[in-house]
Amino acid sequence: MEKGFENRDKPALLAELIPEHAHQSDRKSGCETWSVSFSPDGSYFAWSQGHCLVKLVPWPLSSTLDLGNKCSEHKGSNTKLSRNGINDQERTLDCGHIVWGLAFGACSSSQKKQNFPNNHQGPKFELLRLVLATGLTNGHIKVWEVQTGCILFDLVGHQDVVRHLAFAPNGSLLLVSASRDKTLCVWDLKRDGKQIHVLSGHKQWVYCCSISPDSSMLSSVAGEKSVLLWSMRSYKLIRKLKGHESSVVSCDFSPDGALLATASYDAHVIVWDPYTGESLTKLKHLPLCPALNYTEDFQDGAVRSISFSPEGLYLATVADDRLLRLWALELWTIVDVAPVTNGLCSTFFPHGGIIAAGTRDGHVQFWEAPRILPSLRHLCRKAVRRFLTTYQVMTLPFPKKMKEFLTYRTL
């Protein structure tokens, strides 16, 4: 049993987004929020609200509820927002098929306009031009311009559901898609959405992929017990990570790229060193103490989603026991739990302080996350690890304990 929470208040539910109305084709399947995403600059939020629709919402949600700042007066409130025409920049994208994956990409105004087709009127570029990629159940990927809601590309190449999407963080507009056809595809939006590589190696549906912050490595997980690591330069398999006992369904790199976290239906999270392939720690989702057991007698701990906080000090997990857990990096203990019924996915706000969680009923809940000032030690480690691999750190003329700290061996 997980201990230490008897005297804690549960995190504040800051807001909840609810689909505006039940679709005429409403049915048991098709209404799920399979994916939620914030734009890299934090100016937009997108969620797949079911029935082939994606909602693009300017951030913050409203002038009266500033979720970008933690306000004590909102703690414990259960605010629900219908979002009916509050902002004329809010857009609903009809993708024509059920949406499984979402990913924002961005390019600066210094990049040439001819990178994208000019199939619409109005301003072509701003200081930061945002695009949103949507992975569909028919195997297509539709790419939209966020500021206008116009479709830029319809990428065709997969033979089954596109389950997950990830843009390279370096602004190159390389897009990686993970599909139930057991492959990953790499697309270059600067070359008219050309498919430049297909990665084959999984034997089951590919559930998730994540690209390292320096855009050098790609992690992918499928309905298998192993995790695959690929080079984003040669597109060759680097190594397989083995340690889970059931299907691995979610993965995420830490902000400095020094860690890779994977979540599995075996109710465990493993944190790896992606450079050496070592398992650094293993976190098990155990039943909570009775005071915090919001799930009554439902105790399935299969983990659905995992994500690192933007400063790299926390991990958020969503599991089938109807709980959102927040783990402290340096302690590897749970610091907060929140009741999220039928949770499927989660992500942090890019500037911290908020976690968004999507559910099977098409809702999105925004939970308060800790806002702390990282220690100087952590900031120095983060700066070093953005540029040096584990092997490079180990060659530095530093004391052993310092090397262990820089390589997260002190966890």
Side-chain angles (χ1 to χ4, degrees), residues 83-395:
R83 301 298 304 163
N84 289 319
I86 292 177
N87 192 311
D88 58 3
Q89 295 182 43
E90 180 180 311
R91 303 183 187 282
T92 299
L93 307 178
D94 190 346
C95 298
H97 295 270
I98 294 174
V99 181
W100 288 76
L102 292 175
F104 279 98
C107 60
S108 67
S109 58
S110 62
Q111 294 174 320
K112 295 182 179 180
K113 295 182 181 180
Q114 55 262 37
N115 290 336
F116 295 110
N118 294 327
N119 60 349
H120 55 84
Q121 301 298 318
K124 301 297 187 292
F125 266 73
E126 299 182 7
L127 291 179
L128 189 70
R129 189 181 189 187
L130 296 173
V131 296
L132 178 70
T134 55
L136 309 181
T137 192
N138 66 343
H140 287 221
I141 302 166
K142 290 186 177 181
V143 182
W144 311 77
E145 185 178 37
V146 171
Q147 283 85 355
T148 64
C150 294
I151 188 167
L152 298 171
F153 301 106
D154 187 355
L155 307 179
V156 181
H158 285 295
Q159 304 302 312
D160 208 333
V161 172
V162 178
R163 185 63 184 85
H164 197 263
L165 297 162
F167 275 99
N170 61 4
S172 63
L173 289 177
L174 286 181
L175 174 67
V176 177
S177 55
S179 171
R180 283 186 179 179
D181 66 9
K182 307 174 187 177
T183 69
L184 299 110
C185 290
V186 184
W187 314 82
D188 190 347
L189 300 194
K190 290 185 181 179
R191 297 163 63 183
D192 294 325
K194 180 180 180 182
Q195 185 187 92
I196 60 175
H197 220 284
V198 178
L199 305 179
S200 301
H202 287 289
K203 297 180 181 179
Q204 302 295 332
W205 293 351
V206 188
Y207 286 116
C208 184
C209 60
S210 179
I211 303 176
S212 62
D214 65 355
S215 301
S216 66
M217 283 189 290
L218 169 69
S219 169
S220 62
V221 297
E224 306 159 358
K225 300 177 182 179
S226 58
V227 181
L228 301 191
L229 274 176
W230 310 81
S231 168
M232 282 292 287
R233 297 187 177 97
S234 66
Y235 299 112
K236 293 183 179 179
L237 183 65
I238 300 174
R239 63 176 57 90
K240 289 186 178 182
L241 307 179
K242 297 182 179 181
H244 284 290
E245 298 177 0
S246 186
S247 298
V248 190
V249 295
S250 185
C251 58
D252 195 27
F253 280 96
S254 62
D256 60 5
L259 302 173
L260 173 69
T262 56
S264 169
Y265 286 161
D266 64 10
H268 285 85
V269 167
I270 298 181
V271 180
W272 314 81
D273 183 324
Y275 294 102
T276 66
E278 296 175 71
S279 171
L280 301 181
T281 191
K282 196 170 187 177
L283 311 175
K284 186 174 182 179
H285 286 61
L286 296 170
L288 296 178
C289 60
L292 289 179
N293 187 2
Y294 308 119
T295 66
E296 298 178 353
D297 56 355
F298 186 85
Q299 299 294 346
D300 187 354
V303 189
R304 290 275 176 179
S305 173
I306 190 165
S307 56
F308 272 97
S309 63
E311 78 287 333
L313 289 174
Y314 297 97
L315 273 174
T317 59
V318 173
D320 279 354
D321 60 3
R322 303 172 188 169
L323 291 176
L324 168 70
R325 290 172 171 84
L326 194 65
W327 307 75
L329 172 68
E330 296 187 344
L331 300 175
W332 289 125
T333 56
I334 299 174
V335 295
D336 267 324
V337 292
V340 178
T341 303
N342 297 324
L344 292 175
C345 56
S346 66
T347 190
F348 280 88
F349 179 57
H351 307 309
I354 302 164
I355 305 172
T359 68
R360 285 192 179 275
D361 56 10
H363 294 205
V364 180
Q365 296 177 346
F366 296 96
W367 293 92
E368 186 180 40
R371 276 184 178 273
I372 65 169
L373 183 65
S375 66
L376 182 59
R377 287 200 326 155
H378 177 71
L379 292 174
C380 290
R381 174 171 60 184
K382 188 176 177 181
V384 169
R385 293 312 308 269
R386 282 184 179 274
F387 298 99
L388 298 181
T389 69
T390 300
Y391 296 113
Q392 290 171 328
V393 169
M394 296 307 293
T395 63

Side-chain angles (χ1 to χ4, degrees), residues 38 42-44 57-69 81 83 86-87 349 354:
F38 286 100
S43 63
Y44 277 90
V57 183
W59 195 266
L61 292 179
S62 72
S63 58
T64 58
L65 183 60
D66 183 4
L67 300 186
N69 299 294
L81 305 178
R83 301 298 304 163
I86 292 177
N87 192 311
F349 179 57
I354 302 164

